[in-house]
Amino acid sequence: MPKRRRVADPEVEEQREDLQMDAPSTITRSDIWFRDGNMILQTEGTQFKVHQGFLEKHSSVFADMFSFPQPEGDGESNSVEGCHVVQIYDAPEDIELLLLALYDQHHHTQGRIPFKTISAMIRMGKKYGIQHLRDEGAQLLANEFPKTLEEFGKTSLETWTYIVPEVGLLPKVVALAHQCDIPTILPAVYFRSLRNMDTLLYGDLLSDGTGRSETLPDRVLRACLAGNEQIIAGLGSTFSWLDEAYMCMLQCFDIGRDVKVALWTGRPKAYRALCTWKQLASEFGELNKLCSECLISSQKQLDSERKETWEKLPSYFGLPEWKDMKDFSL
């Protein structure tokens, strides 16, 4: 009895017939074209000349795929420069980014990385069973949205540290996290979204001024808004060290009072719940004038409150506890 054919994706067989019917009439040669390659990957009319053994080494899915006969056709369409043509069913850009990440290890390890590269590493790595590529892409996201308070303190809510900035980036990160089962980044992603409520509700302004980018899905938006309210409700405890009971009766008393008034002027800002002392002092310069005793005491209490907020952070957004979240658990 012949073995049942295995494919890289459960939907491949269903897509194959439609894609063949809609196959483009022109073929484009990609920039990934090795003269000593021995196989042609083709998707949506774009071809890549690669090394079969190299891909099989990295991916058992590719190895299985290459072991099955391809759909029959005339000799010219099944061979290019003497190399067999293997039809695959992914966006050409995704395959290009996948191959670049495999062939050039420095492609995704230097400087800030475009989100599309990280996305392709995770999605294509997961689809084709290239675990190290999937995990490297997930780590790049984790660098920007860590699951420990210590690492979170090294990031910024206003700039992108590890990912190339682009309009409407947060919704793309959220979509990828849900699509590929990466829950551990979600608490930090949701918390970051609270930094700018206008963007959270209406999307980023497009650079050409024609409108706004996509916003978060409704269920995620509701979770973020609910989390925002809970965090704000706890700010009184977070900044209790500013109360007169904790300040000496010298100038520190006045400093604590003034900073506390400033914190509650206008709409309270949830993002301040996880600010480091350095970040707070840059926003409220008076804190640098506290006496040494009040300074040490205030910093100690702030650190304690930040740790408590961080531990509760997932629950504010309706997510499982930190210890119960695991990436790629499916």
Side-chain angles (χ1 to χ4, degrees):
M1 181 176 179
K3 293 182 179 179
R4 181 181 179 184
R5 179 175 180 178
R6 290 177 290 173
V7 294
D9 189 298
E11 299 180 357
V12 166
E13 289 300 327
E14 184 178 339
Q15 297 171 350
R16 187 183 295 273
E17 182 176 343
D18 292 339
L19 287 171
Q20 286 177 331
M21 293 176 60
D22 299 332
S25 57
T26 59
I27 299 297
T28 300
R29 176 183 293 191
S30 75
D31 291 334
I32 300 179
W33 197 268
F34 294 98
R35 288 184 298 175
D36 61 343
N38 60 355
M39 170 176 285
I40 307 295
L41 295 180
Q42 178 172 313
T43 181
E44 297 183 9
T46 299
Q47 294 181 337
F48 306 84
K49 189 175 183 181
V50 294
H51 305 87
Q52 178 174 339
F54 177 79
L55 295 184
E56 290 178 344
K57 175 184 176 181
H58 286 281
S59 167
S60 59
V61 176
F62 273 134
D64 287 346
M65 182 187 302
F66 298 157
S67 69
F68 294 113
Q70 293 292 302
E72 294 184 1
D74 58 53
E76 182 179 352
S77 63
N78 278 347
S79 178
V80 174
E81 296 184 357
C83 300
H84 185 58
V85 176
V86 176
Q87 185 72 48
I88 54 178
Y89 304 92
D90 299 286
E93 183 179 44
D94 282 342
I95 293 301
E96 179 178 6
L97 292 170
L98 169 65
L99 294 173
L100 284 172
L102 286 176
Y103 275 102
D104 182 5
Q105 290 296 307
H106 296 295
H107 179 68
H108 56 277
T109 59
Q110 297 180 342
R112 291 192 291 192
I113 310 300
F115 176 74
K116 65 179 183 180
T117 297
I118 298 174
S119 176
M121 290 171 65
I122 296 173
R123 290 182 294 103
M124 296 294 98
K126 187 175 182 181
K127 176 177 180 178
Y128 287 105
I130 310 174
Q131 183 172 334
H132 73 87
L133 200 62
R134 179 203 70 180
D135 291 346
E136 288 172 18
Q139 185 58 53
L140 290 170
L141 284 183
N143 291 341
E144 196 76 66
F145 304 104
K147 59 182 179 181
T148 68
L149 181 58
E150 180 181 3
E151 292 302 315
F152 181 80
K154 300 175 184 178
T155 64
S156 170
L157 296 180
E158 299 183 3
T159 61
W160 294 85
T161 308
Y162 302 97
I163 303 175
V164 175
E166 62 178 84
V167 172
L169 188 48
L170 275 178
K172 296 177 184 179
V173 173
V174 169
L176 180 64
H178 284 287
Q179 175 189 354
C180 294
D181 188 29
I182 316 174
T184 60
I185 70 170
L186 289 177
V189 176
Y190 290 0
F191 184 79
R192 179 176 179 132
S193 73
L194 307 182
R195 183 65 179 83
N196 188 320
M197 296 302 292
D198 181 74
T199 298
L200 173 64
L201 294 172
Y202 306 111
D204 280 328
L205 288 169
L206 299 180
S207 57
D208 59 6
T210 59
R212 299 240 183 189
S213 65
E214 291 186 6
T215 58
L216 296 171
D218 286 345
R219 63 186 178 86
V220 175
L221 179 59
R222 288 194 295 269
C224 289
L225 293 176
N228 184 67
E229 294 304 312
Q230 292 189 67
I231 294 171
I232 288 176
L235 287 180
S237 174
T238 302
F239 294 103
S240 60
W241 47 273
L242 289 169
D243 294 344
E244 58 186 55
Y246 297 99
M247 293 292 176
C248 68
M249 295 305 294
L250 300 175
Q251 65 176 2
C252 299
F253 177 88
D254 293 332
I255 291 173
R257 180 196 57 202
D258 292 345
V259 172
K260 193 170 184 179
V261 169
L263 282 169
W264 292 99
T265 298
R267 175 68 174 172
K269 297 176 174 57
Y271 74 87
R272 288 174 174 154
L274 288 177
C275 282
T276 63
W277 182 268
K278 181 178 180 180
Q279 290 167 336
L280 279 178
S282 67
E283 187 173 0
F284 305 104
E286 307 96 304
L287 292 174
N288 292 314
K289 300 177 183 179
L290 291 173
C291 71
S292 59
E293 183 177 346
C294 288
L295 179 63
I296 294 172
S297 174
S298 297
Q299 290 177 333
K300 183 177 180 180
Q301 290 185 70
L302 176 64
D303 287 343
S304 176
E305 292 294 341
R306 290 180 69 244
K307 290 176 182 178
E308 183 174 346
T309 299
W310 183 260
E311 286 304 312
K312 295 179 179 178
L313 192 62
S315 68
Y316 293 149
F317 301 114
L319 298 169
E321 295 181 18
W322 288 111
K323 64 181 179 63
D324 295 327
M325 287 190 285
K326 183 179 181 181
D327 295 337
F328 309 119
S329 59
L330 299 180

